[in-house]
Amino acid sequence: MPTLILSPRFTDDSILVRVAAGRAGWQVHRSTGWRIPPDSVAGPYAIYGEALFAEAVAGQLGLALLDVPEDWLPGLPRQFLRRELRVSTLAAARVHPGPVFVKPADGRKGFAGRLYRAGAGLPSEAACPGDTAVFMTEPVTWQIEVRCFVLRGRVLTCSPYLRDGHYIGGDSSMTVEERSAAETCVEQLLSVAPAPPAVVIDVGRIEGRGWTVVEANSAFGAGVYGCDPERVLEVLAHACVPRHELGEVDARWALPPVRLERSFH
């Protein structure tokens, strides 16, 4: 059975995943820091936590984390975006004259992805350099957004997290038709646009335009919302691979190795 490695930060999601791992018979290691003592945990491994924590742990254990690159979303066929979206810089976003949705392009959530007007509210140069890559997207009205945990092109579990602009935190309001539309959207996307074998893809319905892709997220750091945590575990088990076992398919999605500096505390 795999060992689930959790970050020191207790969250509702990490508790859900931990409980599910216990039910499934997995070993669970709740780290007290970002260092994993030698021989303290046995593989195979699954990691769940903040992106920087996951990268640090993967580097120590010789694992490759699988994720989509920054250019994956803007490179999708237009029918899977249904809105104007481009990669730009934080400096350009600060001087954009009108309302525009801005979010970090690297997925680390350095600031909140939301609608900004004439740059008001974006982090300062001192807080975040102007050359930081961002996505700039035309404002649209999302009627519903759905989180999907995907394994090898199939949606294992999904749940809505936003409806009519309001966060709903994975309630049970999704209809059978909405669930089917969300799953179909993901499956159609992955039939023409490759993605890692284990990934989280958010899809939604834009008012007047239909179902489309919101974004992709790394499985090892994505919020569970109302998804089935036991199916989430299935995806996590394939979201990192020992580097010496990387095949040609997985290698294209592997994040570069990160070394944890000795001076880090």
Side-chain angles (χ1 to χ4, degrees):
M1 285 291 182
T3 296
L4 175 66
I5 301 176
L6 299 171
S7 86
R9 183 172 172 236
F10 280 79
T11 65
D12 290 343
D13 286 337
S14 72
I15 293 171
L16 277 175
V17 173
R18 177 185 60 78
V19 171
R23 287 197 299 263
W26 288 28
Q27 298 296 314
V28 178
H29 176 82
R30 170 74 77 173
S31 179
T32 57
W34 283 24
R35 294 189 183 279
I36 303 297
D39 304 321
S40 64
V41 291
Y45 307 101
I47 302 172
Y48 188 70
E50 310 82 65
L52 293 178
F53 167 82
E55 291 175 8
V57 169
Q60 295 170 73
L61 297 176
L63 303 173
L65 297 171
L66 307 184
D67 198 5
V68 296
E70 289 181 13
D71 62 355
W72 184 85
L73 182 63
L76 293 181
R78 186 165 179 80
Q79 67 266 33
F80 292 108
L81 288 175
R82 300 185 188 274
R83 62 201 188 276
E84 294 296 330
L85 182 151
R86 62 188 175 95
V87 180
S88 188
T89 65
L90 187 55
R94 290 184 182 124
V95 298
H96 191 277
V100 62
F101 185 90
V102 184
K103 66 165 288 183
D106 70 356
R108 283 180 172 77
K109 314 296 185 187
F111 59 90
R114 62 176 178 84
L115 192 67
Y116 293 90
R117 299 179 184 276
L122 285 168
S124 66
E125 182 68 23
C128 199
D131 61 359
T132 300
V134 299
F135 293 144
M136 294 177 62
T137 312
E138 69 164 306
V140 294
T141 299
W142 293 96
Q143 296 175 310
I144 185 173
E145 293 183 31
V146 180
R147 171 140 299 178
C148 302
F149 280 82
V150 182
L151 182 61
R152 298 192 182 93
R154 186 168 68 93
V155 177
L156 295 193
T157 179
C158 63
S159 178
Y161 60 89
L162 182 145
R163 188 179 290 279
D164 297 326
H166 300 288
Y167 175 71
I168 56 177
D171 69 9
S172 58
S173 66
M174 187 162 59
T175 66
V176 173
E177 291 77 13
E178 288 171 334
R179 181 179 299 275
S180 176
E183 293 177 350
T184 297
C185 182
V186 172
E187 291 165 4
Q188 289 179 344
L189 164 72
L190 296 181
S191 69
V192 298
V199 68
V200 169
I201 297 178
D202 295 340
V203 297
R205 186 176 62 232
I206 298 176
E207 184 177 28
R209 302 188 189 185
W211 283 87
T212 188
V213 178
V214 179
E215 63 180 359
N217 298 276
S218 51
F220 52 82
V224 174
Y225 295 131
C227 294
D228 181 345
E230 294 186 7
R231 306 312 299 271
V232 169
L233 282 179
E234 294 182 51
V235 178
L236 292 179
H238 295 84
C240 60
V241 178
R243 286 201 173 269
H244 68 274
E245 295 180 8
L246 274 177
E248 183 178 349
V249 174
D250 288 344
R252 66 182 297 189
W253 308 111
L255 294 177
V258 173
R259 183 184 177 193
L260 191 64
E261 295 298 331
R262 293 191 179 197
S263 61
F264 178 83
H265 295 283

